[in-house]
Amino acid sequence: MANISDLPEDVLVELFSLVPARELICHCRLVCILWRDVIDLPTLWKRKCQHEGFYDAKCDRNILDWRIFYFLCSLKKNLLKNPCAEEGFQFWKLDSNEGDKWKVEDLPGEHGREFSSQHVHKYFVTSYGLCLKSQLINLKEEGYWDQLMDEVRPDITVKDWYAARFDCGCRYQLRVQLLSADYIVLHEFCPESVVIEQWSDAEWREISYTFRNYKAGVRYILFRHGGQDTQYWAGWYGCRVTDSCITIEPETSAQRDQRNTLLLEPKDIPSA
């Protein structure tokens, strides 16, 4: 009697490409040697990328490991929670809350400008005293297992938007740190504070940075930003921030071809 193992390899690839990734690694791969070998084929994971909209013909030749590429694509999201103040200050730690303290306002705000993206409706605003807030991201809780971060070391991209009021100057600052399991700083992005003079255009400005080729051992990302006004006026005349973003990118760096292919263990695979 014929069974599924008698099917041609290309048919098995097509069938397995429709199975959830966690089931493939945790269950199907353990059934027999044939299934294991088919599930380990790059063509299977490339097909899954095509099914789920992760495939881009322009980057085809640059992808060295379709399995890792698939998982990085499926995991990709903004790791910062509540980046646009829709939930007040939930998920944010207020490290410094001086002057009249942090506040949430609706766009465009008094003497402000509309934001370029229609999904952003609010922003955080600082006062005349220093206002800083932060989030600590636990990479393992977000699905990025240790071996992935140590051997693949996918690019980590940070973006933030800030603006001043037209009628008041302000100072904006940002610090992003990649931390080890015991919170030692392995890498840091800490540009000089940006001072926007009074009577500026009040336009929203983006700052971005990508961590590449960082040390092994990254387990946390600490994001901290904020500032204050430069006139020391009571109220909320300081810098405005919104739509902050940290993503781990599917595309790998040029040095990635020097590593061995990763073997995914069932415990490593994020739940659907």
Side-chain angles (χ1 to χ4, degrees):
M1 180 180 294
N3 59 53
I4 190 173
S5 297
D6 297 326
L7 294 173
E9 182 180 283
D10 59 335
V11 177
L12 285 174
V13 165
E14 187 62 32
L15 288 174
F16 285 144
S17 70
L18 302 175
V19 176
R22 188 173 182 82
E23 293 300 313
L24 287 176
I25 301 297
C26 297
H27 301 293
C28 299
R29 194 176 181 275
L30 306 179
V31 170
C32 64
I33 294 174
L34 173 62
W35 284 28
R36 182 199 65 191
D37 291 345
V38 173
I39 290 168
D40 286 348
L41 287 172
T43 51
L44 168 63
W45 296 96
K46 182 176 180 178
R47 193 75 183 103
K48 283 189 69 63
C49 287
Q50 292 171 330
H51 276 309
E52 299 185 34
F54 302 148
Y55 179 78
D56 184 349
K58 291 183 292 186
C59 65
D60 194 322
R61 284 183 290 178
N62 297 323
I63 297 172
L64 303 166
D65 188 325
W66 280 98
R67 182 170 45 180
I68 295 301
F69 181 80
Y70 170 84
F71 279 103
L72 287 173
C73 286
S74 64
L75 286 169
K76 186 175 178 181
K77 62 182 178 180
N78 187 357
L79 298 177
L80 290 171
K81 298 177 175 62
N82 186 27
C84 303
E86 293 293 339
E87 301 170 84
F89 291 98
Q90 187 174 359
F91 305 112
W92 291 97
K93 178 185 176 185
L94 303 184
D95 301 309
S96 181
N97 205 15
E98 300 176 7
D100 284 322
K101 303 182 178 181
W102 281 98
K103 185 184 179 185
V104 170
E105 294 182 345
D106 295 325
L107 280 161
E110 191 174 358
H111 295 286
R113 298 272 190 167
E114 291 288 355
F115 195 75
S116 57
S117 176
Q118 294 184 350
H119 80 274
V120 180
H121 307 288
K122 297 177 182 289
Y123 58 83
F124 303 96
V125 59
T126 62
S127 185
Y128 63 89
L130 182 62
C131 294
L132 297 172
K133 61 185 179 68
S134 65
Q135 280 192 42
L136 180 67
I137 297 165
N138 184 323
L139 291 171
K140 187 171 289 188
E141 289 181 356
E142 299 296 335
Y144 296 92
W145 60 98
D146 294 351
Q147 190 185 12
L148 178 75
M149 297 308 299
D150 291 348
E151 297 188 23
V152 176
R153 282 177 263 178
D155 294 347
I156 300 172
T157 297
V158 179
K159 297 181 180 180
D160 199 20
W161 287 88
Y162 63 95
R165 290 172 57 115
F166 168 72
D167 60 344
C168 186
C170 72
R171 178 177 288 102
Y172 162 83
Q173 61 188 74
L174 170 68
R175 177 176 300 214
V176 185
Q177 297 173 322
L178 306 186
L179 308 178
S180 68
D182 49 2
Y183 304 101
I184 294 172
V185 178
L186 301 178
H187 292 272
E188 179 177 77
F189 173 59
C190 186
E192 290 187 8
S193 298
V194 178
V195 176
I196 303 176
E197 300 295 338
Q198 190 179 23
W199 315 120
S200 72
D201 56 15
E203 292 284 356
W204 285 93
R205 310 176 188 200
E206 184 186 38
I207 184 170
S208 65
Y209 180 79
T210 299
F211 292 95
R212 294 188 173 96
N213 303 320
Y214 45 85
K215 296 177 182 177
V218 173
R219 300 292 179 265
Y220 300 94
I221 303 173
L222 178 61
F223 177 96
R224 180 183 288 119
H225 68 170
Q228 62 190 110
D229 80 54
T230 55
Q231 316 298 127
Y232 300 99
W233 291 347
W236 297 273
Y237 291 82
C239 73
R240 301 166 171 187
V241 292
T242 195
D243 204 24
S244 311
C245 184
I246 296 179
T247 54
I248 295 186
E249 302 298 325
E251 285 303 297
T252 57
S253 67
Q255 295 179 338
R256 209 57 35 79
D257 58 356
Q258 297 175 3
R259 66 170 172 82
N260 295 321
T261 299
L262 289 182
L263 175 63
L264 293 176
E265 299 292 342
K267 63 182 177 58
D268 294 327
I269 308 305
S271 300

